[in-house]
Amino acid sequence: MGTVKREYGDSIRFRLLKWLHPLMMLAVFAGFCHLIYFPHYSVDFSWRVQFLIWISYLLINCNLEKTYHGLSIGLLRITELIYSQTLSSVISTGFMYLVFSLYKNHFLLFWPLLAILAVQFIFSAGWTLIANALYYHRYPAPKTALVYRKESDLYRIESIRYFHDHFDVRKTIENPDDDAAAILDQLKDVEVVIAAGINSELRNCIAKYCVESNITGYFVPHLGDIIMAGAEHMPTFGQPVMQVRRANVRNEYIAIKRFLDMLISFLGILIASPFMLATAIAIKAHDGGPVFYRQTRLTQNGRPFSILKFRSMKVDAEKDGVARLASENDQRITPVGKIIRAIRLDELPQLFNILIGDMSLVGPRPERPEIAAEYAQKLPEFSLRLQVKAGLTGMAQVYGRYNTEPYSKLQMDLMYINQMSLITDIKLLFYTVKILFVKESTGGIEEGQKNALLAGKKAKTERRSA
């Protein structure tokens, strides 16, 4: 009982520590408003109005930090935590700056806004370093065991090498046999188990053992697991039966989603038009070739459509007629193309595809028919992602990478299809803002590859030689 109380007390203390961060952001924002903005513009808000302003700021900031996992101490790297917190501050503080500017009918002084963001960044960095140190002082990296069937399964969980502070890997069990008792015996002295690729029977035994022994288990799901996760419980049979079928969303959701697609894409085209014009001029000035690039892609139910993008490669990039994804340091990419791909400007013309209904803002990324056919040869279930309309962003785009293998993309796309809703779409749209300047999310496939089926081969080779 004493242990439970102590852990509960730690939980309360860490919760209070997490609440301290948005309160610090609010204090910085409110302090600059009272010291500079309110006196300079002779603003004299009543205490009720100020209360609404500060509460609004706090709610916006808290929701953004929750969306971007900015306070997930112990789960994310320090740099990612600070980046998430900074992005939350930029959006929430920038939003309130626009509200105040609309109230005064002109833009307010800009330098105090930059000062607010600079001080908030310093406070965020300090808070993260202290909170991270306190967390790992109280909760050192747990003893961890990796259980996987083959090397490709280990590749799926190789990201743990980025989290050496989070997991202390003591054991690796490759291609375990069917003797569950022997495997469980090896897990007696660990606190965390991470499993990938093992058969369902062994995985179920390990999962039950984790629950019984108070061990934390992380399991990379099979495709069937994700399909079953979206199943509907049917109590009418007198048995715990689960019904599985194609994506079946409400007509109201489809109508609202289509309305928002048209509204946001139209506004996006208006707002982005200066950037689109500048990009078009830069592309044309570089080599005199066409500004736009049209390519056949697949959307809902396998229907082909012509996707529109800014051209980032040479005009004769595929003169050999072979469809291939962009690789790391791809010589076909122009200097202008490298810039617009890095900050996603090449994707902006797809707003026109969304406006006319070929795509949605959120959905599975549309693949080329040739590459989709290659994926389907190795992974027949790949067509399941075509149950819904293709999207500009989505779960696979946000949590995966350009070179993420198709099996993992399919899993993430099916996870999105299982939980499609306006709330999910809005969260993914906000999270997309976070990855716009994350280099890892735009990484190409390896040299010599045509698609992402062999992504990670280099990493595996390096691991063998290490």
Side-chain angles (χ1 to χ4, degrees):
M1 180 66 71
T3 301
V4 173
K5 285 183 177 180
R6 185 166 59 251
E7 290 180 353
Y8 180 78
D10 285 342
S11 175
I12 293 296
R13 283 191 284 272
F14 277 110
R15 284 177 182 270
L16 291 174
L17 184 62
K18 289 183 177 182
W19 267 107
L20 178 62
H21 184 272
L23 290 175
M24 289 166 56
M25 300 302 101
L26 173 61
V28 173
F29 176 71
F32 271 86
C33 286
H34 279 289
L35 291 174
I36 300 174
Y37 280 132
F38 291 175
H40 186 274
Y41 293 99
S42 300
V43 175
D44 187 21
F45 288 130
S46 67
W47 70 268
R48 291 184 180 86
V49 173
Q50 289 193 46
F51 178 78
L52 289 176
I53 292 173
W54 310 141
I55 287 295
S56 298
Y57 181 89
L58 188 62
L59 290 175
I60 294 171
N61 188 264
C62 285
N63 277 286
L64 287 170
E65 289 188 337
K66 183 177 180 181
T67 299
Y68 297 140
H69 306 291
L71 304 180
S72 297
I73 297 294
L75 293 178
L76 301 180
R77 288 172 286 180
I78 290 178
T79 53
E80 188 171 356
L81 289 170
I82 296 175
Y83 174 53
S84 299
Q85 295 162 9
T86 301
L87 183 59
S88 301
S89 296
V90 168
I91 296 176
S92 52
T93 304
F95 175 78
M96 297 306 294
Y97 171 83
L98 292 176
V99 170
F100 288 164
S101 296
L102 288 173
Y103 174 76
K104 298 299 295 184
N105 292 319
H106 62 83
F107 285 107
L108 308 186
L109 291 173
F110 195 69
W111 71 263
L113 175 65
L114 297 179
I116 291 173
L117 295 176
V119 174
Q120 287 179 329
F121 174 81
I122 294 172
F123 276 44
S124 290
W127 179 91
T128 302
L129 292 171
I130 294 172
N132 200 67
L134 290 174
Y135 180 88
Y136 285 111
H137 176 73
R138 178 63 185 87
Y139 302 110
K143 292 177 288 185
T144 303
L146 304 181
V147 186
Y148 58 95
R149 185 167 63 91
K150 53 185 180 180
E151 195 171 7
S152 60
D153 298 313
L154 179 62
Y155 171 67
R156 291 194 176 98
I157 56 176
E158 74 160 355
S159 59
I160 61 170
R161 66 191 175 93
Y162 294 114
F163 299 97
H164 54 86
D165 291 334
H166 300 61
F167 302 105
D168 179 13
V169 179
R170 298 288 184 90
K171 297 181 179 179
T172 56
I173 306 173
E174 183 178 3
N175 193 24
D177 54 33
D178 295 330
D179 186 358
I183 301 299
L184 298 182
D185 187 60
Q186 297 184 61
L187 303 178
K188 284 185 177 179
D189 57 345
V190 301
E191 301 167 271
V192 171
V193 175
I194 302 176
I198 59 178
N199 67 65
S200 299
E201 185 176 353
L202 177 58
R203 185 193 57 183
N204 292 343
C205 289
I206 294 177
K208 287 188 288 186
Y209 177 77
C210 287
V211 174
E212 293 169 354
S213 306
N214 195 25
I215 293 174
T216 301
Y218 297 94
F219 298 88
V220 176
H222 298 164
L223 201 57
D225 300 329
I226 296 175
I227 294 175
M228 291 301 297
E232 182 180 356
H233 294 269
M234 303 295 292
T236 56
F237 297 100
Q239 295 290 332
V241 175
M242 303 181 74
Q243 180 190 65
V244 176
R245 56 183 175 178
R246 287 182 67 85
N248 185 28
V249 294
R250 295 180 179 273
N251 291 330
E252 296 89 341
Y253 167 69
I254 296 175
I256 296 174
K257 183 180 177 74
R258 179 62 190 137
F259 171 76
L260 291 177
D261 282 343
M262 291 189 294
L263 177 63
I264 296 176
S265 61
F266 177 73
L267 293 175
I269 291 170
L270 291 179
I271 295 171
S273 55
F275 304 100
M276 296 173 74
L277 178 60
T279 302
I281 293 173
I283 294 172
K284 196 69 176 178
H286 173 68
D287 58 12
V291 170
F292 296 107
Y293 177 62
R294 295 181 182 274
Q295 191 179 74
T296 300
R297 297 288 181 99
L298 301 178
T299 187
Q300 190 173 21
N301 298 321
R303 180 176 67 83
F305 74 100
S306 182
I307 198 171
L308 188 65
K309 302 178 71 173
F310 280 123
R311 182 174 60 86
S312 60
M313 293 189 175
K314 298 175 182 177
V315 177
D316 58 350
E318 290 186 354
K319 58 184 178 182
D320 57 0
V322 178
R324 55 170 62 87
L325 299 178
S327 63
E328 294 283 358
N329 304 315
D330 199 318
Q331 297 301 312
R332 299 174 300 162
I333 301 176
T334 66
V336 174
K338 289 180 180 179
I339 297 173
I340 64 175
R341 288 171 72 95
I343 54 179
R344 315 298 177 89
L345 287 179
D346 62 320
E347 309 278 1
L348 286 178
Q350 291 170 56
L351 292 172
F352 292 101
N353 289 115
I354 296 171
L355 187 62
I356 64 177
D358 287 332
M359 294 174 60
S360 178
L361 284 168
V362 182
R365 188 71 185 142
E367 291 287 359
R368 300 175 65 174
E370 303 90 340
I371 292 179
E374 292 179 22
Y375 289 165
Q377 289 179 0
K378 299 283 187 180
L379 186 63
E381 303 90 347
F382 195 71
S383 61
L384 293 177
R385 60 199 298 277
L386 298 176
Q387 298 176 64
V388 297
K389 193 178 292 186
L392 179 62
T393 187
M395 194 166 288
Q397 296 93 299
V398 165
Y399 297 107
R401 301 179 184 180
Y402 179 78
N403 58 4
T404 296
E405 60 176 348
Y407 185 80
S408 298
K409 281 185 177 180
L410 174 59
Q411 287 183 311
M412 287 184 277
D413 286 332
L414 290 179
M415 290 171 66
Y416 167 72
I417 292 171
N418 284 345
Q419 53 187 277
M420 284 175 61
S421 68
L422 290 175
I423 297 299
T424 301
D425 290 348
I426 291 171
K427 285 183 177 180
L428 288 172
L429 286 172
F430 271 103
Y431 210 87
T432 301
V433 178
K434 178 181 176 179
I435 66 167
L436 285 178
F437 304 103
V438 177
K439 185 178 184 299
E440 287 85 350
S441 63
T442 59
I445 60 175
E446 293 172 22
E447 206 67 42
Q449 291 180 224
K450 293 189 299 181
N451 54 52
L453 282 171
L454 300 178
K457 184 177 179 181
K458 180 179 178 182
K460 289 187 243 181
T461 303
E462 290 175 345
R463 194 162 45 240
R464 284 197 200 99
S465 60

